[in-house]
Amino acid sequence: MADQSYGILEIFLLGARAFGLFAAFAAFAWGLMRMRREHQEQLGKLLQSHNELLAHNQSLSERVAALSTMVASLPRRAEPLVEAPPPPRVHAPRRDSGVRSYETAKRLARNGASVEEIIASSGVANAEARLLRRLHASAPHDSTDTRRNNAA
């Protein structure tokens, strides 16, 4: 057999490797135990809040049952409840000349007025005011005149 004598340096390096492996294993085991303990604490808190919610849910269901028995024991009315009439609808005032109000609304939209201002000033409908605002809000002042001249 071959001579297997180890020198002091080789033994020392072998011992250092073994100690390093043991230290890494111990650190890994300690980390796992710490993580398990933290998860156990979190699970305990979760279980406690779950039990509190169950107790709260039970008390609420008891209240609902008590209220339903109270409602069931109330005497029924012979006459039906009278419903209040719906509130009157407020319509925007309309001007006599539809063309003039439309031109006013278009001018207001070009100047950047809001939909509410267009409705209040010109009397056009909400949908028309929104459409005019969309069409003319970002358009330059004389672009519609240019389009009119091109169409004619």
Side-chain angles (χ1 to χ4, degrees), residues 6 14 45 59 61 74 76 89 91 99 114 132 145 150 152:
Y6 292 107
L14 193 62
K45 290 177 184 177
S59 69
S61 68
L74 289 175
R76 303 224 185 260
R89 296 183 70 180
H91 298 285
V99 175
S114 69
L132 284 170
D145 296 333
N150 290 340

Side-chain angles (χ1 to χ4, degrees), residues 61-103:
S61 68
E62 290 171 359
R63 283 184 182 176
V64 167
L67 287 174
S68 65
T69 57
M70 287 175 60
V71 168
S73 66
L74 289 175
R76 303 224 185 260
R77 290 187 174 192
E79 70 276 352
L81 293 175
V82 178
E83 293 185 17
R89 296 183 70 180
V90 178
H91 298 285
R94 291 208 175 247
R95 292 188 178 173
D96 294 336
S97 172
V99 175
R100 179 189 280 177
S101 65
Y102 184 76
E103 291 297 323

Side-chain angles (χ1 to χ4, degrees), residues 1-7 10-11:
M1 288 212 157
D3 186 20
Q4 293 185 355
S5 63
Y6 292 107
E10 291 174 344
I11 291 175

Side-chain angles (χ1 to χ4, degrees), residues 19 23 35 53 62 72 86 93 105-106 108 110 121 137 143:
F19 180 75
M35 189 170 33
L53 285 174
E62 290 171 359
K106 192 164 61 170
L108 287 170
R110 281 186 192 149
S121 298
S143 67

Side-chain angles (χ1 to χ4, degrees), residues 26-89:
F28 184 68
W30 178 78
L32 284 176
M33 287 174 47
R34 182 173 170 228
M35 189 170 33
R36 183 175 180 211
R37 186 173 43 249
E38 287 174 358
H39 284 157
Q40 190 174 12
E41 289 172 1
Q42 288 176 353
L43 185 62
K45 290 177 184 177
L46 184 65
L47 184 63
Q48 180 183 3
S49 65
H50 177 71
N51 288 337
E52 289 172 1
L53 285 174
L54 281 176
H56 188 66
N57 191 15
Q58 181 65 31
S59 69
L60 286 176
S61 68
E62 290 171 359
R63 283 184 182 176
V64 167
L67 287 174
S68 65
T69 57
M70 287 175 60
V71 168
S73 66
L74 289 175
R76 303 224 185 260
R77 290 187 174 192
E79 70 276 352
L81 293 175
V82 178
E83 293 185 17
R89 296 183 70 180

